[in-house]
Each structure stands twice: as structure tokens, then as C-alpha cells.
Amino acid sequence: MRPIHNAATMRKQIALGILLLAAGLAVFSLQDVIMKLFSSQIALQQVIFFRGLVTITIVGTLLALQNGARAFVTKRPGLCLLRGVAGFGCFTTFSMALAVLPLAEAMPLYYTSPLFVIMLAVPLLGETIRARSWLAVLIGFGGVLLIARPTALGVDPAMILALCAALAYSAQSLLARKLGATESALTMTFYSQIAFVVLSGSTALLFGQGSLDVVSHPSLQYLFRAWAVPSTEQTLLILVLGVIGTIGFLCISQAYRLGPASRIAPFEYSSLPFAVFWGWLIWNDAPTG
């Protein structure tokens, strides 16, 4: 009877993981809206830096209340920080893509991440992938080509940025699964955000004065724009981003702790209706046929 109990427990964990993933992605859809609005107003890395500080403050407080100083101890600090680097790369490249692409077009490209998760789950986690999952990967790749519509002149660089974000996100998700045996969702989120703050803060020293803001492409303008004092409205939105980041990261980190990545990842697509809705409501964008 023991295997039946284990199987039942695993099914419950996977179901809970799927619900947490869907909740986290729904919250993050609001973040995408704010980041797209910011693309013509404020420096990308400045937003990431202050958003990270807000998230660290919230998560650090929760950790301290949970178990005092011991809650900050991690058995795998290197992997936790590596997950943060992957998350930083994902957030940066996808935000740059949003400066150009409508949400309804950027999100399908971004959510090729489940395809990368399935492909990488074999060498990184040792998971067994069924033939139908590989078939889904091939179909998904065909969908990418359909959306990107490559021509002799290539594709818009922003589409490539969205695909890079998808690859980085898949690495982040797989690392969450790998770390789940020893680390809590709070701990993973805390150390990920440390990486966010350090990396985004470092960019202030490199090009925070706007010295590289001499290009015409909106994605690069978003990245290289000079740091400036945000307005009251922008400050409030950054605080909202910090709260959203906390909730979203905790939900998604816990989701990939609970179940096999190859079973959880396909439900990443649950956020696509939100992307279409927000794009239509705010920018009057609609997906093409």
C-alpha cells in the first residue's frame, strides 16, 4: 500500500504546484504591464535594483520571523546565487523585449520556456521524458517560427531577446527544482534577489550616467537610459513591483519544488490569456491570426 500512498501524495503535490504556478504567473502578468509602461520613462536596471531592495526587505523579514538568523543559512549558496543570475538575465532580456513587442506577441515567444525545461530536465535533473513530450517540443518550435515569421532579413532583435529570456527562465525553474530538496522557497527568493540587486547595481557604475544611450532601438534605450530620481507615481509602481515580485517568486519557486519540472512546466502557458487581455485593455493590441 505504501507505493499507492506515495503516488497519491505526489499527485496532490503536482496539483498544488500547478495551482501555485498559475497564481504566480497571474501576478507576474501585472508586472509585465508595469515594466512595459516603464520602458519609455525610466532606466531598466534602476527599476530592477529598487524592486529587488523591496523584495529583499519583505522576504528577509519573513525569514527572520520564521526562524531567526538560522533561516538565512543555505546549504547551496552557489546554486542559489546562480539561480538569481539566471533570473536577472531573464527579467532584463524580457523587459527589453517588451519595449518593442506587444504583450500578445512577446508572451508566446517567452513561453517557449517549457520547451527548454523539458529538453534540459534530462541532462540536468535526470528526469525521464516521454515521447509525447518530445513531440510537444517539436510542435512548440514550429509555433515559435510561426510567431517570429523569419524572412531573408531575419527577425526583430526583440524577438531574440524574448527567446533568450525563455532560456534563462527555464534554467531558473530547473535550479528551483534542484534546490527544492534542501532550500525553502523563501530562501531561494532571498538569495535570487541579492543577485538581482548586485548585478543591477553594478550597471549603475558602468552606464548609469547614460553614456551608452546613443542608440535608436527602444530595447537598448531602456537598458542604457541614465538613472534619475523617479517621480512619486513611478516610486509607488516600483513598490508594487517589489510586492508582486515577492508573491510571484514565492509561488513559482514553491511550484517547482513540489513536482517534476516536466509535469509543472506545460502550465506556464496559463498566463497567455492575461497577456492578451492586458495588451488589449491598455494598448489596444490584439494577436494576429
Side-chain angles (χ1 to χ4, degrees), residues 79-195:
L79 279 182
C80 283
L81 292 173
L82 181 61
R83 181 172 179 268
V85 172
F88 174 79
C90 167
F91 194 43
T92 297
T93 51
F94 186 66
S95 297
M96 291 171 66
L98 286 179
V100 177
L101 301 177
L103 277 172
E105 192 168 321
M107 292 304 292
L109 291 170
Y110 177 61
Y111 280 119
T112 56
S113 56
L115 310 181
F116 292 120
V117 167
I118 291 172
M119 289 187 290
L120 295 176
V122 177
L124 295 183
L125 300 180
E127 294 185 4
T128 301
I129 309 300
R130 298 174 181 176
R132 62 187 182 187
S133 294
W134 288 116
L135 178 61
V137 169
L138 294 176
I139 295 173
F141 181 71
V144 172
L145 295 178
L146 183 65
I147 295 167
R149 300 185 300 275
T151 66
L153 299 176
V155 298
D156 191 304
M159 292 183 173
I160 298 175
L161 286 170
L163 291 173
C164 289
L167 179 59
Y169 180 77
S170 67
Q172 174 184 274
S173 301
L174 289 168
L175 285 168
R177 178 63 178 163
K178 197 173 185 68
L179 288 163
T182 59
E183 312 298 330
S184 69
L186 278 172
T187 303
M188 285 191 285
T189 300
F190 181 79
Y191 283 100
S192 289
Q193 291 307 301
I194 287 179

Side-chain angles (χ1 to χ4, degrees), residues 227-273:
W227 288 36
V229 178
S231 66
T232 302
E233 180 183 353
Q234 290 169 342
T235 301
L236 290 174
L237 286 175
I238 290 173
L239 291 174
V240 170
L241 283 175
V243 175
I244 288 174
T246 301
I247 297 172
F249 274 114
L250 289 178
C251 287
I252 292 175
S253 296
Q254 185 68 4
Y256 279 99
R257 288 182 72 243
L258 290 173
S262 57
R263 298 285 297 276
I264 300 294
F267 291 87
E268 296 274 358
Y269 296 111
S270 62
S271 70
L272 287 175

Side-chain angles (χ1 to χ4, degrees), residues 263-284:
R263 298 285 297 276
I264 300 294
F267 291 87
E268 296 274 358
Y269 296 111
S270 62
S271 70
L272 287 175
F274 291 103
V276 174
F277 173 74
W278 292 124
W280 167 79
L281 181 67
I282 299 174
W283 292 282
N284 199 29

